[in-house]
Amino acid sequence: MGELDRLSDLIGRIYDAGIDPDAWRPVLADICRWAGGEMAQILVLESSAAAPFFTVAVGYDAAAHARYLRDYALQDPRLPAWRRLPPTVQLCHQVVDAAWLDRQDFGAFLDENGCRWAMAAIDPAFDGIAGMSVRRPRRAGPFTPAEAQRFGLLVPHIRRSLALAQRLDGLAGRARLAEDVLDRLDRAMVLLAANGRVVHVNAMADRLFESGRLQLRGNRLDSADPAEAAALRGLIAAVLDPASGGGPVRLLSGTAGPSLIASGCRLPDRRPTAVAAPQAVAALFLSPIGASPDDLGQVLPGLFGLSRAEARLAVALHDGFSLSEIAGQLQLSRETLRSQLRSVFDKTGTRRQGTLIRLLTDLARESRLARQSSGRL
């Protein structure tokens, strides 16, 4: 294999390692050989993190590195020098006085561990340390400008691959967080692809399937009750229709369990057309009748820790009564009600009466929707 083919192959493998962390060690070993070194390391350490986001090394003694961090890192002038220079490959004997590398204690440490000479590229814009280095022992002589140039051909690709790994890690973290949030919903949610197939269900939906209340057939939402299955198909078709503003509300009264209020909505589809993986374009929401209390007075103490008197006041405000009217009906002083209202504000995280009423209206919307749907259907 010629030099150009070797370089092309190595660059391709560097990008492969960006999506497969286990591939970094063999790739780094080849980078080390390509650049004429005997050991190499890539390190990404965010300034606020206790541990590196990413680190991999070859030909490298972990105990020696721990000793370096303990005894020499704060004294080593090469790192700050590298960070002040352009983010290209820099040779250690050109960024600091070479005599410093021969200090009795530090020089002996470098020789003992075969890392007398080093060349490195540091990203000075990174908040922390993001760099890669290649090292070799005294007997091999210092790295040459030609070897720095060979290493430099790979550095931009290593940086892009690491950036890809960080982005993928962030996306994976966001996906895990999103799934955790969905699992905490108090209703079943089913995410649908554009072809109507189910791409994700939350924990509440899982329980519906486990109980036999609903079914998955060929990765499609279904029911053992023919009438309910037809209602589901109609709702899914309406939700998936791009021209619809949102699916209708349906009452599912199958024979396998409690009646369900079902509704849905389309989700924004920002996926590039070249991406073939299934993506959720719509969501269905399923709530058993009676799952949401109809009376705000029953739910407010559990949600916010309101006392019975505070919950009674909040419900009365939501129903449109003024403080004066409430005081007259309950035969309480306005000052007592104002004290209760301040406590309600504190517990609900609101500061104004209008904000509190909007919050209560949002909480009541689901139960009101369920009652209206039940009566209509």
Side-chain angles (χ1 to χ4, degrees):
M1 183 183 292
E3 286 287 282
L4 186 57
D5 290 335
R6 282 182 62 203
L7 177 62
S8 178
D9 178 71
L10 188 51
I11 290 173
R13 291 172 58 215
I14 286 171
Y15 285 109
D16 288 342
I19 58 176
D20 179 12
D22 293 336
W24 268 115
R25 283 189 60 82
V27 170
L28 188 58
D30 286 344
I31 291 172
C32 189
R33 284 190 288 270
W34 168 265
E38 295 189 15
M39 64 177 63
Q41 182 186 31
I42 298 174
L43 174 69
V44 180
L45 177 63
E46 296 171 336
S47 60
S48 59
F53 164 76
F54 178 82
T55 181
V56 63
V58 293
Y60 182 74
D61 186 285
H65 181 57
R67 182 184 168 198
Y68 169 78
L69 292 176
R70 183 183 69 245
D71 299 335
Y72 300 109
L74 295 179
Q75 308 172 36
D76 192 339
R78 294 174 298 176
L79 183 57
W82 274 322
R83 296 188 69 178
R84 286 194 299 269
L85 292 168
T88 52
V89 177
Q90 306 290 335
L91 306 178
C92 69
H93 60 283
Q94 293 180 347
V95 300
V96 299
D97 183 356
W100 186 89
L101 300 175
D102 286 324
R103 283 174 40 194
Q104 182 175 358
D105 54 347
F106 191 63
F109 169 82
L110 296 176
D111 286 340
E112 288 169 9
N113 294 284
C115 55
R116 170 65 168 76
W117 305 108
M119 58 180 174
I122 304 292
D123 186 351
F126 189 78
D127 183 20
I129 299 171
M132 53 222 75
S133 62
V134 177
R135 307 165 196 173
R136 67 188 183 195
R138 179 185 290 273
R139 57 176 166 73
F143 287 101
T144 66
E147 289 170 323
Q149 185 178 27
R150 287 172 67 85
F151 186 31
L153 293 173
L154 302 177
V155 165
H157 303 289
I158 296 172
R159 286 198 176 113
R160 294 187 192 111
S161 183
L162 291 173
L164 172 63
Q166 283 184 297
R167 181 164 179 77
L168 290 176
D169 184 74
L171 290 173
R174 287 166 59 188
R176 289 190 297 270
L177 176 62
E179 290 184 5
D180 182 62
V181 170
L182 295 180
D183 283 343
R184 293 172 186 269
L185 290 178
D186 61 353
R187 69 185 71 188
M189 191 194 70
V190 179
L191 297 181
L192 303 172
N195 60 6
R197 292 186 180 274
V198 174
V199 296
H200 183 76
V201 298
N202 70 349
M204 287 290 287
D206 261 334
R207 290 201 267 282
L208 284 178
F209 296 132
E210 290 171 0
S211 68
R213 179 63 185 81
L214 293 176
Q215 301 175 358
L216 275 179
R217 292 181 182 172
N219 246 20
R220 293 181 185 275
L221 192 60
D222 203 349
S223 170
D225 184 293
E228 185 170 77
L232 270 174
R233 288 194 295 271
L235 174 60
I236 291 171
V239 170
L240 292 177
D241 183 0
S244 70
V249 177
R250 298 289 171 90
L251 178 64
L252 305 179
S253 300
T255 57
S259 296
L260 303 173
I261 291 293
S263 61
C265 65
R266 285 189 62 82
L267 303 174
D269 186 356
R270 300 187 178 92
R271 175 185 54 173
T273 54
V275 177
Q279 176 179 339
V281 301
L284 292 183
F285 302 96
L286 305 154
S287 298
I289 292 291
S292 299
D294 289 344
D295 183 4
L296 280 176
Q298 296 177 27
V299 73
L300 291 176
L303 281 177
F304 301 109
L306 300 188
S307 68
R308 292 185 63 179
E310 291 164 351
R312 182 177 57 190
L313 171 61
V315 171
L317 290 171
H318 171 259
D319 289 341
F321 293 99
S322 68
L323 279 180
S324 296
E325 291 170 330
I326 299 169
Q329 290 175 4
L330 299 180
Q331 296 183 345
L332 295 173
S333 70
R334 286 175 58 88
E335 189 55 41
T336 296
L337 291 182
R338 289 186 186 281
S339 175
Q340 292 179 1
L341 183 57
R342 284 194 294 270
S343 180
V344 171
F345 285 158
D346 289 340
K347 292 178 180 180
T348 59
T350 56
R351 290 293 177 268
R352 297 176 185 274
Q353 194 167 310
T355 308
L356 172 65
I357 292 174
R358 283 195 296 272
L359 172 64
L360 299 176
T361 300
D362 289 340
L363 291 173
R365 182 176 295 122
E366 179 186 338
S367 58
R368 187 165 59 249
L369 176 64
R371 290 195 300 272
Q372 291 172 348
S373 300
S374 299
R376 184 168 63 247
L377 295 175

